[in-house]
Amino acid sequence: MGKKRRVTAAAGSVMTVLLLAAGCGAGSGGSGGVTAVRPAGAEQALGDGYDSGYGSADSADPAADPAGEASASAGRLAVREIVGVGSAVTDSAGATLYRFDKDTAQPPRSNCAADCATLWPPVPANDAQAAAGIDAGLLGAVDRADGVRQLTLGGWPVYRYAKDTRAGEAKGEGVGGTWHAVAADGKKAADKAKEKAGGAGGEEAEGEQADGAGGNAEGGGLSAADDAKLGKILVNSEGRTLYRFDKDSAWPMKFGCLDACLNTWKPATPAEKDKVSGIPAGLVGSVKRPDGSEQMTIDCWPVYLFTGDTAPGQTNGHGKQGLWFAVDDAGKKVPAAG
């Protein structure tokens, strides 16, 4: 009898693995018709203290809330100077407010729901008041599908970030390449700071994300390129090397690169089906990250761009910390150089 139970349990384990593998490779949707995957345990970080910009920051509870409650009203808004960000809007408790690139301002619409809205709680519009430096005429509201009447600023729905645990923190700045602290006029605080400082680039068109490493803009390509040292490696449409991270997981799909890690490693834009070459199409897919953005996957592994690669063809990220590796044309990680 005991032997029979062990056989049954083993069969169940095999079935679980098969289901996980099938879940990664099955289905359609996502960007350009490539395989779309909803990760298992998306909000469970695999972070292991790699908060140096090469791995994950701490795995704070996504349900944490700097203002005491995710649904707390904004109260009297303020404009605050935040180190590394610039002048950003905070609520009455000092929590930084954010906007999401995948939302729209005209008309106002939120595209952050379900798990996304747990990590990025929408700010209710009730009782919100403009303080000095904020035009009250820019405040508004949008009715969400979940019944919350969400505050808007300059038409953009605004959110808190659950991992900001102290007043004036802005851990959500730049997360996924799509989340940004919001300025008093509804634009991105970091872009306003660049304009003020006379920095290059200014503000990109609304709804688009500029990224020096070819980051998470809409649409993308994928091909195999010849590298003198590494052989055939995968690159995006701009010829920039794609990497995978050993602290991520493919089965079930989980993310080890979160928070500070995303300042250095940018999630790659999902590839469009008709722009994939040099790799079996069945290995190419996309996954929804905890912040709601979409990321390219190769053989079920999320792939990234390295900000230390400043030109096409560079592979400066390969072998970093013994955790980051270029990907070959069979979808496998390229071994570290001997």
Side-chain angles (χ1 to χ4, degrees):
M1 186 68 177
K3 182 177 180 180
K4 184 177 181 180
R5 281 197 296 268
R6 286 195 297 272
V7 171
T8 302
S13 298
V14 171
M15 181 59 69
T16 299
V17 172
L18 289 175
L19 287 173
L20 287 170
C24 178
S28 61
S31 176
V34 297
T35 304
V37 182
R38 182 70 181 97
E43 273 63 63
Q44 298 178 27
L46 294 181
D48 193 18
Y50 291 90
D51 55 1
S52 62
Y54 293 110
S56 173
D58 58 45
S59 53
D61 179 3
D65 176 28
E69 302 180 350
S71 59
S73 61
R76 190 171 181 80
L77 305 180
V79 178
R80 179 172 184 158
E81 285 295 323
I82 298 177
V83 176
V85 176
S87 296
V89 177
T90 64
D91 67 10
S92 58
T96 302
L97 303 185
Y98 299 88
R99 48 172 274 185
F100 184 34
D101 281 351
K102 293 190 178 294
D103 288 349
T104 60
Q106 298 179 345
R109 186 179 69 179
S110 170
N111 287 309
C112 177
D115 291 341
C116 174
T118 299
L119 191 59
W120 300 90
V123 178
N126 57 303
D127 298 331
Q129 305 170 44
I134 301 174
D135 183 351
L138 294 178
L139 299 184
V142 60
D143 292 322
R144 296 170 51 84
D146 58 14
V148 174
R149 188 164 178 77
Q150 184 175 3
L151 178 68
T152 62
L153 180 56
W156 289 94
V158 295
Y159 308 79
R160 299 182 180 94
Y161 184 43
K163 294 186 180 182
D164 284 344
T165 57
R166 293 186 294 274
E169 283 189 333
K171 293 179 180 178
E173 172 60 35
V175 167
T178 55
W179 289 92
H180 305 277
V182 66
D185 57 1
K187 296 180 180 177
K188 301 173 188 178
D191 287 342
K192 299 286 288 185
K194 288 179 184 177
E195 288 180 352
K196 185 176 180 180
E203 180 167 8
E204 70 265 23
E206 292 292 353
E208 298 179 1
Q209 171 62 25
D211 192 330
N216 225 351
E218 294 298 325
L222 174 68
S223 61
D226 288 304
D227 182 84
K229 294 182 179 179
L230 305 181
K232 288 279 189 182
I233 60 172
L234 299 182
V235 299
N236 73 354
S237 55
E238 297 177 346
R240 296 182 182 272
T241 303
L242 297 172
Y243 301 89
R244 57 182 257 189
F245 182 38
D246 277 358
K247 290 290 181 179
D248 284 347
S249 172
W251 299 284
M253 195 174 292
K254 296 181 182 179
F255 298 99
C257 184
L258 301 164
D259 303 318
C261 174
L262 296 172
N263 294 329
T264 304
W265 302 91
K266 302 296 184 180
T269 303
E272 296 178 7
K273 190 173 183 180
D274 59 352
K275 295 182 181 179
V276 174
S277 63
I279 180 175
L283 294 178
V284 184
S286 68
V287 61
K288 181 174 287 188
R289 292 186 59 83
D291 64 6
S293 62
E294 295 286 334
Q295 180 173 3
M296 187 193 304
T297 61
I298 302 296
D299 195 23
C300 293
W301 285 87
V303 290
Y304 304 79
L305 300 163
F306 181 46
T307 56
D309 288 342
T310 57
Q314 293 183 346
T315 57
N316 298 321
H318 184 63
K320 280 289 184 184
Q321 289 194 319
L323 296 171
W324 293 90
F325 300 93
V327 182
D328 66 21
D329 58 344
K332 307 302 181 183
K333 71 178 184 182
V334 177

